[in-house]
Amino acid sequence: MWKPLRNLRQLHKICTRTYLSQAYQCNEAWSSRLNSPILEKINLESYLFELEQKHQQTGKFSAIDIDICCNKIQDESFIEEIFDILHKLRMSEETSNTLDSTHHAIIRNLTVLEKYQELVLILNDPLNYGIFLDTYSANILLDTLLEAKKFTLAARIATFLMLQEDYGNAISKSLAILACWKYLGSPEPFEKQAEEEVTPTDGEVKPKKKPEEVKIRVKYLRNPYFDDHFDLKDPQQLVGKTLYYFGMHTPGSLGKSAQLLGLSLYGKFEEGIRLVSSLKNGDIFTDVLEKSLEVLKGVENSEDKPSLGEFVALLEVKKGSLKAEGTFEEAVLQSLSAGIKSCEKEDIAKQTQLYDDWIRIRQEKLEEELLRLRRAQTVKEIEKKTLDMEAEERKLWFFENEDKIDLQIESKKVYYPKKWFGKKKKPRAQDEGYVPPEITVTRN
């Protein structure tokens, strides 16, 4: 008899060819966390219920509790509840104690569950969720998305690394550049706009009326400010800055090509002119030059972009002399293969050690939290016992301290001034020119 396959998703990952090897996933070391004494005894459903009750009573979560929940995720049942407690943790002062394993666990578990949209949602909102990529989770996630041909999501993940100003290692740089290049083949908006609802009437399709604008009075208006980093929303500019950022940290013609294409998308034409002027023969790939010119020709010339025409003309002039051998994608794949050869063994060793360290740190943090709770409970019991002893003492020595107690009761009484409810007399009018008489002292 054939045994049923319990996890087809894992079987699919084993049989699928990816850029990174199966050993890079460190699945065995990662799964060993579930065999730890802490996570092995946890029932996630009841644990989440207890945490919610605790939050209603105290108004806060413990960072170690959230870490346990994020590491315990094994299916899709409690994803919304996990997002909710992550948000509540982020809104409390305890967010500063968030463990590194919490970030890695939520990213890796959602990647295994193929919940890519939900993962992008929380990564795109660090103010409310506080989840950030690390080198290993970013590499695994980018590799998974590229293999699944989800190039828009892969490019979005690459932009998160750029916004964090984290270029990781050689694998991260190559995967991020490859994701952006694949995305440019068929670019789509990162955040798809909701389609207008249509209602058929008399055989015609009419768009639904927009809701009325609601104006709110504010005390003052802030001056407009654009930081050219976190305020970037346009996908083309985000991808352009990502290519430029990773290109600066990549040597050779690959890095220079990524910078040129990035500056074209990013709209920094003056920097592009300086870059092209410094290039030598064979520094730029032909497909990158064509893609850059294609992007630049689609940009409208205006007074705000006086260097656009000069940049296009300079690229046209140097189009024949800057060609490098091969294609941009081939160079990225070669760089990725070289990065895997140089970093893979070290990354696997570091990941394995990191997972062991996180199990130990989780145990230590839990013991510290239990010790803190015991101390708080002990203090509460001592305070209660002290109050009970004071009450008992008042009963035993009541007659000896009766006068003192009466004085204390009398001192707590509040006396209000009496009010006059009769007719009020008008104040006597004073003559401003009145001069009082002089008094002279006479002696007998």
Side-chain angles (χ1 to χ4, degrees):
M1 295 293 292
W2 291 92
K3 293 183 179 180
L5 295 175
R6 296 183 178 180
N7 199 335
L8 292 175
R9 189 179 285 117
Q10 289 293 338
L11 179 63
H12 170 73
K13 289 183 177 294
I14 293 173
C15 299
T16 303
R17 172 74 169 85
T18 59
Y19 296 106
L20 299 177
S21 66
Q22 190 65 28
Y24 194 92
Q25 308 278 343
C26 299
N27 289 323
E28 185 177 350
W30 173 245
S31 300
S32 64
R33 78 195 190 283
L34 297 173
N35 300 326
S36 62
I38 299 174
L39 297 181
E40 195 173 17
K41 300 176 182 178
I42 292 294
N43 183 323
L44 189 56
E45 183 177 3
S46 59
Y47 196 68
L48 285 170
F49 179 73
E50 292 174 6
L51 286 182
E52 186 61 31
Q53 286 187 323
K54 178 182 175 182
H55 184 267
Q56 291 178 358
Q57 295 172 359
T58 62
K60 62 180 181 180
F61 285 120
S62 173
I64 183 63
D65 290 333
I66 307 302
D67 182 71
I68 292 172
C69 292
C70 292
N71 278 275
K72 190 64 177 178
I73 300 175
Q74 293 178 282
D75 53 45
E76 307 171 3
S77 305
F78 305 103
I79 290 180
E80 292 184 3
E81 288 81 356
I82 296 295
F83 285 2
D84 182 57
I85 63 175
L86 280 173
H87 172 68
K88 290 176 180 177
L89 175 67
R90 186 62 172 172
M91 295 296 107
S92 66
E93 59 185 12
E94 186 68 14
T95 186
S96 59
N97 298 323
T98 303
L99 302 179
D100 293 338
S101 57
T102 304
H103 303 270
H104 188 91
I106 193 70
I107 293 170
R108 177 142 189 173
N109 287 332
L110 289 181
T111 303
V112 171
L113 296 172
E114 298 182 2
K115 293 295 181 179
Y116 306 127
Q117 293 289 352
E118 291 81 352
L119 182 53
V120 169
L121 175 67
I122 62 171
L123 289 173
N124 192 37
D125 195 2
L127 291 178
N128 282 314
Y129 296 101
I131 298 299
F132 300 93
L133 292 162
D134 59 67
T135 300
Y136 309 118
S137 63
N139 290 347
I140 294 171
L141 179 56
L142 284 171
D143 179 64
T144 304
L145 292 173
L146 286 170
E147 187 59 34
K149 301 187 184 304
K150 297 183 180 295
F151 302 131
T152 302
L153 293 175
R156 192 72 178 108
I157 298 301
T159 61
F160 293 146
L161 287 174
M162 178 273 296
L163 292 174
Q164 292 177 200
E165 298 184 359
D166 178 16
Y167 57 85
N169 55 19
I171 299 175
S172 303
K173 290 184 284 188
S174 299
L175 285 173
I177 294 174
L178 181 61
C180 293
W181 176 255
K182 291 284 191 181
Y183 166 78
L184 293 175
S186 56
E188 297 178 358
F190 288 156
E191 299 176 3
K192 294 183 179 180
Q193 301 294 332
E195 297 180 0
E196 290 185 343
E197 296 184 13
V198 293
T199 53
T201 54
D202 300 332
E204 297 181 0
V205 177
K206 296 182 180 180
K208 187 177 180 180
K209 292 183 179 180
K210 295 182 179 179
E212 296 182 0
E213 294 183 357
V214 179
K215 297 183 179 180
I216 302 174
R217 185 182 298 276
V218 295
K219 293 183 179 180
Y220 58 89
L221 294 175
R222 294 186 180 275
N223 293 329
Y225 178 74
F226 184 73
D227 66 357
D228 206 21
H229 190 72
F230 295 108
D231 291 336
L232 289 172
K233 301 299 179 186
D234 182 58
Q236 180 171 303
Q237 291 182 339
L238 282 168
V239 171
K241 189 169 184 179
T242 302
L243 284 168
Y244 178 64
Y245 175 76
F246 286 104
M248 288 192 298
H249 296 90
T250 304
S253 57
L254 175 60
K256 293 175 181 177
S257 298
Q259 290 182 60
L260 177 62
L261 180 57
L263 290 172
S264 302
L265 293 163
Y266 190 20
K268 301 296 181 181
F269 306 128
E270 294 180 359
E271 289 85 344
I273 292 171
R274 288 194 289 269
L275 175 64
V276 175
S277 302
S278 65
L279 295 177
K280 300 178 182 179
N281 295 341
D283 279 347
I284 300 296
F285 293 96
T286 306
D287 47 358
V288 170
L289 272 172
E290 293 175 354
K291 178 63 72 172
S292 299
L293 288 170
E294 179 185 343
V295 170
L296 294 172
K297 288 178 181 178
V299 178
E300 296 181 2
N301 201 348
S302 62
E303 296 179 357
D304 298 335
K305 304 168 184 176
S307 53
L308 173 58
E310 183 182 353
F311 188 31
V312 174
L314 186 61
L315 284 178
E316 291 285 357
V317 170
K318 295 200 174 185
K319 186 176 180 180
S321 60
L322 296 177
K323 293 180 181 179
E325 296 181 359
T327 63
F328 183 72
E329 186 170 341
E330 290 174 354
V332 177
L333 293 175
Q334 290 175 4
S335 175
L336 178 58
S337 299
I340 291 173
K341 288 180 181 179
S342 62
C343 299
E344 188 175 39
K345 290 184 179 179
E346 184 180 357
D347 283 3
I348 291 172
K350 286 183 177 179
Q351 277 192 84
T352 306
Q353 182 61 43
L354 199 60
Y355 295 156
D356 293 337
D357 292 343
W358 283 344
I359 293 174
R360 175 180 53 80
I361 292 171
R362 191 177 300 115
Q363 182 67 38
E364 293 175 355
K365 293 290 183 182
L366 185 60
E367 290 175 359
E368 291 176 4
E369 181 67 15
L370 291 174
L371 181 59
R372 186 188 65 81
L373 291 174
R374 286 179 190 145
R375 287 177 178 172
Q377 184 65 27
T378 303
V379 170
K380 188 182 292 185
E381 290 175 358
I382 291 173
E383 291 177 350
K384 184 178 181 301
K385 193 170 183 179
T386 303
L387 293 174
D388 293 342
M389 291 175 66
E390 290 177 355
E392 188 67 22
E393 183 182 8
R394 284 196 297 270
K395 291 179 182 178
L396 294 174
W397 299 91
F398 173 77
F399 294 104
E400 285 78 359
N401 298 327
E402 186 175 4
D403 295 337
K404 184 179 178 181
I405 293 172
D406 290 340
L407 290 174
Q408 289 177 352
I409 295 173
E410 188 70 20
S411 64
K412 291 180 181 179
K413 288 185 178 180
V414 180
Y415 294 94
Y416 297 97
K418 294 182 179 180
K419 293 184 179 180
W420 174 257
F421 296 99
K423 187 176 181 182
K424 294 183 179 179
K425 295 183 180 180
K426 293 183 179 179
R428 184 178 297 176
Q430 296 181 358
D431 185 5
E432 295 181 357
Y434 173 75
V435 178
E438 296 182 358
I439 301 174
T440 57
V441 180
T442 56
R443 297 182 180 177
N444 296 331

